[in-house]
């Protein structure tokens, strides 16, 4: 007897598959027509948004998922849900990527370096001044996925600001990308200004009358400026080209140009600060050498002054019977006076030549 074939189970949609347990999921939400809609989970948010957009001539609903240092299964599940490119998913998991803007089909993958200024009460030569992190943003027609690495620049304030303004929410996924980029670039400006202040303080110390010779501190600032330059510089070219991409709606292009202008200003400021740090380091080394030479001149002058009475005392300490003026009562004061006069004349000569 032939058994009947087993009935094929209907394949579940990606959004209905089991969601991996996530400790890195910070927040998610469905946004429809500029309003946040309460949903029970990401699968429900995806279903609600896609059903709304399917029946609309102008799609105005999207999902925003925020992750913090996620594990591979979490990102891979979202990749199935939203159709993320495997190469971009791999970058999001591993982190430590170069700032960039890449297009995969109908979605964008943007990597932004985040920076934060660390203020120390008593900085040392090994103290970290600028902390670097990353925000990776997947932007599609109906979704935004943000993956953050590092404690810098949390996006809670950005999400709250957008949710408080229906007009900002209504700009769609590219509006969220703009808000994140604008937030990150503003942080660049803030950190660049603080680094400029640090460099000015060090510059004043180098050229002060009582100069600081802490070359380690200057080199540390130079190293941190290079870190800031590596975080900001590579983003300028792709971000300036971003408004020309077809994925960016025409009404959003001027906003991205504004962010690009701010980013260009940051790059110029970082470049000038980097050049200033080079000049300060060279000036500090030159001044340190000059001060060392000045100290050596002073030491040499005092050695020369002390050598005169030492020489005279050494001659009269040889205990010969026939030494000049050894048998006279005024011989001792004459020798002492000779020492004093010789030392005074040498001291005057060295001061006139700038050695003392």
């Amino acid at each position: 007897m032939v058994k009947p074939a087993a009935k094929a189970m209907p394949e579940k949609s990606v959004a209905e598959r089991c969601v991996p347990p996530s400790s890195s999921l910070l927040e998610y939400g469905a946004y429809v027509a500029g309003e946040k809609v309460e949903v029970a989970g990401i699968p429900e948010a995806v279903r609600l948004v896609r059903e709304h957009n399917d029946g609309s001539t102008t799609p105005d609903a999207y999902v925003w998922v925020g992750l913090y240092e996620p594990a591979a299964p979490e990102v891979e599940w979202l990749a199935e849900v939203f159709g993320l490119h495997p190469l971009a998913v791999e970058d999001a998991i591993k982190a430590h990527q170069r700032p960039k803007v890449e297009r995969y089909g109908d979605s964008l993958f943007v990597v932004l370096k985040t920076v934060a200024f660390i203020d120390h009460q008593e900085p040392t030569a090994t103290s970290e001044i600028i902390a670097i992190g990353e925000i990776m943003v997947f932007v599609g027609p109906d979704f935004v996925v943000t993956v953050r690495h590092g404690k810098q620049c949390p996006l809670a304030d950005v999400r709250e600001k957008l949710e408080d303004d229906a007009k900002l929410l209504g700009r769609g996924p590219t509006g969220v990308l703009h808000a994140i980029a604008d937030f990150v670039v503003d942080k660049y400006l803030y950190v660049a200004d603080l680094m400029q202040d640090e460099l000015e303080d060090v510059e004043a110390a180098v050229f002060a009358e009582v100069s600081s010779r802490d070359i380690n501190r200057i080199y540390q600032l130079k190293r941190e400026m290079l870190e800031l330059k590596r975080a900001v510089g590579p983003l300028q070219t792709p971000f300036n080209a971003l408004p020309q991409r077809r994925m960016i709606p025409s009404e959003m292009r001027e906003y991205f140009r504004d962010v690009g202008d701010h980013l260009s200003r940051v790059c110029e400021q970082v470049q000038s600060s980097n050049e200033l740090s080079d000049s300060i380091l060279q000036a500090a080394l030159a001044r340190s050498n000059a001060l060392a030479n000045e100290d050596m001149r002073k030491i040499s002058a005092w050695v020369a002054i002390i050598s005169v009475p030492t020489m005279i005392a050494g001659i009269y300490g040889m205990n010969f019977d026939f030494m000049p003026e050894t048998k006279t009562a005024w011989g001792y004061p004459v020798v002492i006076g000779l020492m004093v006069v010789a030392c005074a004349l040498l001291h005057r000569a060295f001061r006139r030549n700038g050695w003392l």
Side-chain angles (χ1 to χ4, degrees):
M1 180 177 178
V2 180
K3 293 183 179 180
K7 187 177 180 180
M9 296 296 292
E11 184 179 356
K12 292 183 178 181
S13 66
V14 174
E16 292 173 344
R17 296 177 192 171
C18 180
V19 183
S22 175
S23 59
S24 63
L25 180 62
L26 297 179
E27 196 170 355
Y28 63 89
Y31 302 93
V32 179
E35 297 290 338
K36 183 176 182 180
V37 180
E38 295 297 330
V39 290
I42 296 177
E44 182 182 347
V46 173
R47 178 187 56 79
L48 175 67
V49 164
R50 290 180 175 173
E51 287 179 356
H52 177 85
N53 287 340
D54 285 343
S56 175
T57 55
T58 56
D60 58 354
Y62 59 94
V63 180
W64 181 3
V65 180
L67 301 174
Y68 175 69
E69 297 184 352
E74 300 161 0
V75 183
E76 290 168 356
W77 182 81
L78 288 174
E80 291 186 71
V81 173
F82 299 113
L84 307 180
H85 197 278
L87 291 177
V89 171
E90 183 180 355
D91 289 346
I93 295 172
K94 291 183 178 179
H96 304 294
Q97 302 299 316
R98 195 171 187 267
K100 58 184 177 180
V101 177
E102 293 184 349
R103 179 183 176 183
Y104 296 102
D106 59 350
S107 65
L108 285 177
F109 178 60
V110 182
V111 179
L112 302 170
K113 289 288 188 181
T114 58
V115 298
F117 185 84
I118 303 176
D119 193 10
H120 299 277
Q121 295 294 333
E122 295 182 0
T124 64
T126 58
S127 298
E128 187 180 32
I129 301 176
I130 296 179
I132 305 293
E134 291 178 30
I135 295 178
M136 302 176 183
V137 189
F138 297 89
V139 182
D142 58 1
F143 67 86
V144 178
V145 178
T146 56
V147 180
R148 186 163 60 89
H149 292 269
K151 299 179 181 179
Q152 300 77 32
C153 298
L155 298 177
D157 292 341
V158 177
R159 188 184 289 266
E160 183 179 351
K161 178 182 177 181
L162 292 177
E163 290 178 353
D164 289 342
D165 192 330
K167 182 179 179 181
L168 296 178
L169 276 182
R171 292 174 178 171
T174 54
V176 176
L177 174 61
H178 166 264
I180 294 172
D182 188 54
F183 175 71
V184 172
V185 172
D186 285 345
K187 288 290 185 180
Y188 291 163
L189 285 170
Y190 175 71
V191 173
D193 288 339
L194 292 178
M195 287 298 294
Q196 184 75 23
D197 294 340
E198 287 285 325
L199 288 172
E200 289 175 357
D201 291 342
V202 170
E203 183 182 24
V206 168
F207 293 101
E209 190 167 340
V210 181
S211 177
S212 171
R213 303 187 195 181
D214 190 4
I215 303 297
N216 290 336
R217 174 64 174 170
I218 303 172
Y219 182 77
Q220 180 189 29
L221 289 174
K222 169 66 178 174
R223 185 185 63 218
E224 296 295 316
M225 286 304 306
L226 289 176
E227 286 288 332
L228 184 59
K229 183 179 179 180
R230 282 195 289 265
V232 175
L235 195 61
Q236 186 176 15
T237 300
F239 231 81
N240 287 338
L242 188 60
Q244 280 72 47
R245 290 184 178 268
R246 288 181 296 175
M247 284 191 60
I248 305 300
S250 57
E251 63 272 11
M252 288 299 302
R253 290 176 180 174
E254 60 184 17
Y255 292 98
F256 282 100
R257 289 193 191 97
D258 181 66
V259 175
D261 290 340
H262 291 174
L263 185 61
S264 297
R265 175 190 162 191
V266 174
C267 291
E268 292 172 0
Q269 185 170 345
V270 169
Q271 181 64 28
S272 62
S273 297
N274 189 44
E275 293 173 357
L276 177 61
S277 65
D278 285 336
S279 300
I280 293 174
L281 182 59
Q282 293 173 4
L285 291 172
R287 186 163 176 78
S288 180
N289 291 334
L291 291 174
N293 291 335
E294 184 178 347
D295 291 341
M296 288 302 298
R297 287 199 303 267
K298 289 181 180 180
I299 293 171
S300 300
W302 283 112
V303 168
I305 292 173
I306 294 173
S307 65
V308 173
T310 302
M311 180 188 67
I312 296 174
I315 292 173
Y316 276 88
M318 288 189 287
N319 297 322
F320 289 108
D321 290 335
F322 300 101
M323 294 288 291
E325 313 302 336
T326 55
K327 302 298 183 181
T328 59
W330 42 268
Y332 185 78
V334 168
V335 172
I336 296 297
L338 178 63
M339 293 180 183
V340 172
V341 171
C343 290
L345 292 174
L346 285 174
H347 186 272
R348 181 182 179 185
F350 284 129
R351 283 185 62 87
R352 181 176 298 176
N353 293 328
W355 284 48
L356 289 176

